[in-house]
């Protein structure tokens, strides 16, 4: 029906216009959907039965979706690690380790950004922290403002592609639903599920490739134009066993947490939600350990938390090599003993977490972390609800069929449609946040691409790489805004924008490489499945 198609197209235009005017995203999506649904009912272009399906859609997509529980847990983990001052120690240690080489401070910032990405995944916290700690040092040491600001903002965005990542969780949920819908339309009523673990595995190699590209660019600038990234002379005492111990002290806690969380997912020991709970508990123990020095008996506190962390590690190892499932009929004596030991280790971990939580509560940090977690999680879920209503009304106008016909009509078949979608998402990234693009665009375009034979994991990684650019592209690149808020007055906004341009080009290069070689995204998930 021509009138319904006009309504569908006008919905998209009005929504983008309202978002550009600065209206709240969730209320814009829901408000535009309700206004157009009402107009459609009055003109006969919209069937009211679609709105009656909205409560069931929310109940099925949000309230009973265990995967989305991982969102507040990973947010809690990231905010807790931010409060534990882990970034400060990492930056200081990496600066001492790589500073004496040309471009060493830039390389340090990128490596710390990668470690924080794998442990926190919160772009704003990473950019602000590194902007406050490393930008003044880099400028003082003679680094060009463009290179310094570009390396900080770009390394902060690594949290969107290096797992565990909030973007990958949200993308995984949307892509899984779109893939199942597409397969049902093709007649396959028992499709292979697409899990967040598959996306985590698929994004790991492209994420590390992105880190390598950033480092190569910084070193290229350092060797071709040494005045823009001069080395920092090594100070006295920055060698020997004591120096190595200092580096390991800064690196070991986040690395152990990363291996525990990401390793448990990739090894198939835990789902993304279970691993997120493990990460939240581990981050609480780590923050309590760092905060134990403020207690009346710091030695006891550190020992108690250390035992809890050791208990968690042993539980993970036991789960990898022993069958600890309860309710089995045949249980050997060794398995019964292992189960009893697992109970004891779980009790130790819980007691350590309680002690750590009490210390953080008395210091006021637990309240700050909980408040930030609630605010970020509420923002994500309210946008999800608004986007669900928008998508429902858009489908009621036949917008999904219109998009499918448009994509299938593009010259070049699958590749032509894929290039068109990637180009559209890149342009939208100049104006919209990754959450809006994920919740609005992906459910509309992904089913059509899946029906054309596009691999879901490959598409998810490509979309994640594309969404990463939205943090660096003006005028609404959030990483640029975060750094502008904490940068010294002598650093101009133009310098921050110019510094981001080479890294946006590198992100597009990585996107092209993954598109040209799909195995970079599909090899590891296939290996795990095989």
């Amino acid at each position: 029906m021509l009138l319904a198609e006009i309504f569908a197209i006008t919905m998209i235009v009005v929504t983008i216009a309202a978002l550009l005017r600065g209206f709240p995203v969730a209320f814009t999506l829901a408000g535009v959907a309700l206004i157009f649904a009402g107009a459609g009912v009055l003109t006969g272009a919209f069937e009211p039965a679609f709105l009656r399906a909205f409560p069931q859609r929310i109940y099925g997509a949000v309230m009973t979706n265990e995967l989305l529980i991982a969102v507040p847990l990973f947010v809690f983990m990231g905010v807790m690690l931010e409060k534990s001052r882990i970034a400060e120690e990492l930056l200081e240690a990496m600066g001492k380790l790589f500073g004496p080489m040309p471009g060493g401070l830039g390389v340090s910032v990128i490596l710390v950004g990668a470690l924080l990405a794998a442990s926190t995944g919160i772009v704003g916290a990473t950019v602000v922290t590194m902007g406050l700690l490393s930008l003044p040092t880099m400028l003082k040491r003679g680094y060009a403002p463009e290179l310094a600001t570009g390396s900080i903002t770009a390394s902060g965005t690594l949290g969107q592609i290096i797992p565990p990542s909030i973007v990958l969780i949200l993308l995984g949920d949307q892509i899984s639903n779109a893939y199942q819908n597409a397969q049902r339309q093709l007649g396959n009523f028992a499709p292979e599920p697409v899990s967040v673990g598959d996306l985590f595995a698929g994004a790991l190699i492209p994420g590390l490739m992105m880190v390598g590209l950033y480092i190569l660019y910084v070193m290229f600038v350092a060797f071709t134009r040494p005045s823009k990234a001069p080395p920092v002379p090594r100070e006295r005492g920055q060698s020997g066993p004591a120096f190595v111990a200092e580096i390991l002290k800064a690196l070991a806690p986040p690395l152990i947490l990363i291996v525990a969380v990401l390793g448990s997912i990739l090894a198939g020991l835990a789902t993304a939600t279970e691993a997120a709970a493990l990460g939240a508990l581990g981050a609480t123990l780590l923050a309590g350990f760092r905060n134990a020095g403020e207690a009346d008996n710091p030695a006891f506190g550190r020992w108690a938390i250390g035992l809890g962390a050791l208990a968690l590690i042993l539980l993970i190892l036991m789960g990898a090599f022993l069958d600890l499932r309860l309710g089995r009929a045949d249980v050997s004596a060794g398995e019964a003993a292992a189960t009893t030991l697992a109970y004891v280790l779980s009790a130790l971990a819980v007691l350590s977490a309680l002690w750590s939580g009490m210390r953080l509560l008395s210091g006021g940090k637990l309240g700050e972390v909980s408040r930030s977690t609630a605010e970020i999680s509420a923002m994500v879920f309210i946008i999800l609800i608004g986007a669900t209503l928008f998508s429902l009304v858009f489908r009621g106008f036949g917008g999904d069929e219109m998009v499918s016909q448009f994509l299938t009509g593009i010259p070049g078949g699958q590749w032509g449609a894929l290039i068109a979608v990637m180009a559209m998402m890149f342009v939208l990234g100049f104006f919209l946040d990754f959450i809006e693009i994920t919740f609005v665009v992906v459910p509309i375009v992904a089913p059509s691409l899946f029906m054309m034979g596009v691999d879901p994991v490959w598409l998810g990684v490509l979309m994640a790489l594309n969404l990463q650019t939205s943090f660096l592209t003006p005028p609404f690149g959030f990483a640029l805004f975060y750094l502008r808020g904490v940068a010294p007055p002598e650093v101009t906004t133009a310098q921050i924008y110019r510094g981001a341009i080479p890294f946006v080009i590198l992100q597009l290069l990585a996107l092209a490489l993954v598109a040209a070689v799909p195995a970079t995204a599909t090899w590891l998930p296939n290996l795990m499945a095989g």
Side-chain angles (χ1 to χ4, degrees), residues 67-357:
L67 173 62
L68 294 180
I69 300 175
V71 173
L73 289 173
F74 274 129
V75 172
F76 181 90
M77 171 184 164
V79 177
M80 183 65 78
L81 288 176
E82 177 198 353
K83 301 298 182 183
S84 66
R85 301 176 62 187
I86 187 173
E88 298 180 29
E89 294 189 6
L90 280 173
L91 278 170
E92 185 177 352
M94 288 295 188
K96 293 178 180 178
L97 186 63
F98 293 100
M101 61 180 285
L105 287 181
V107 173
S108 302
V109 165
I110 293 169
L111 290 176
V112 171
L115 289 172
L116 293 178
S119 54
T120 66
I122 301 177
V123 171
T126 304
V127 173
V128 169
T129 302
M130 292 198 297
L132 288 171
L133 297 176
S134 62
L135 183 56
T137 302
M138 296 176 78
L139 296 176
K140 181 181 177 181
R141 296 293 185 177
Y143 271 67
E146 290 84 357
L147 181 63
T149 57
S151 59
I152 291 173
T153 53
S155 58
T157 64
L158 289 171
Q160 303 307 296
I161 187 62
I162 295 180
S165 160
I166 302 298
V167 171
L168 293 175
I169 294 174
L170 300 178
L171 265 177
D173 179 62
Q174 297 297 315
I175 283 180
S176 176
N177 295 333
Y179 182 68
Q180 292 180 13
N181 291 335
Q183 290 298 304
R184 282 193 290 267
Q185 292 183 42
L186 292 173
N188 180 10
F189 294 98
E192 290 290 332
V194 181
S195 68
V196 173
D198 295 331
L199 275 188
F200 279 6
L204 188 58
I205 293 176
L208 296 177
M209 180 176 66
M210 186 79 73
V211 175
L213 289 174
Y214 287 173
I215 291 176
L216 288 175
Y217 171 73
V218 171
M219 295 184 68
F220 172 79
V221 173
F223 282 102
T224 56
R225 288 171 285 179
S227 61
K228 292 183 177 293
V232 178
R234 192 180 296 276
E235 299 177 2
R236 295 182 61 182
Q238 293 184 1
S239 61
F243 179 64
V244 174
E246 180 183 357
I247 300 297
L248 291 177
K249 179 183 176 182
L251 284 176
L255 285 177
I256 292 174
L257 188 61
I258 291 167
V259 171
V261 173
L262 188 56
S264 62
I265 297 175
L266 298 181
L269 301 177
T271 64
T273 303
E274 293 165 346
L278 173 65
L281 179 58
T284 302
L285 292 176
L286 180 56
F289 186 85
R290 298 289 175 85
N291 197 50
E294 303 173 10
D296 297 332
N297 190 350
F300 170 78
R302 289 195 173 98
W303 271 104
I305 295 174
L307 284 175
L310 180 61
L312 275 179
I313 295 173
L314 291 176
L315 280 171
I316 295 173
L317 293 176
M318 290 175 63
F321 297 104
L322 298 173
D323 190 350
L324 302 178
R325 291 176 299 167
L326 302 177
R328 292 179 295 134
D330 299 325
V331 180
S332 65
E335 291 173 338
T339 303
T340 304
L341 178 59
Y343 276 119
V344 174
L345 294 175
S346 299
L348 277 176
V350 170
L351 291 174
S352 296
L354 288 174
W355 191 94
S356 179

Side-chain angles (χ1 to χ4, degrees), residues 406-407 410-411 413-427 445 449 466:
F406 170 75
L407 291 178
I410 293 177
Q414 172 185 306
W415 280 101
L418 184 64
I419 292 172
V421 169
M422 290 294 113
M424 177 185 64
M425 292 180 67
F426 177 71
V427 173
V445 302
L449 292 175
N466 202 334

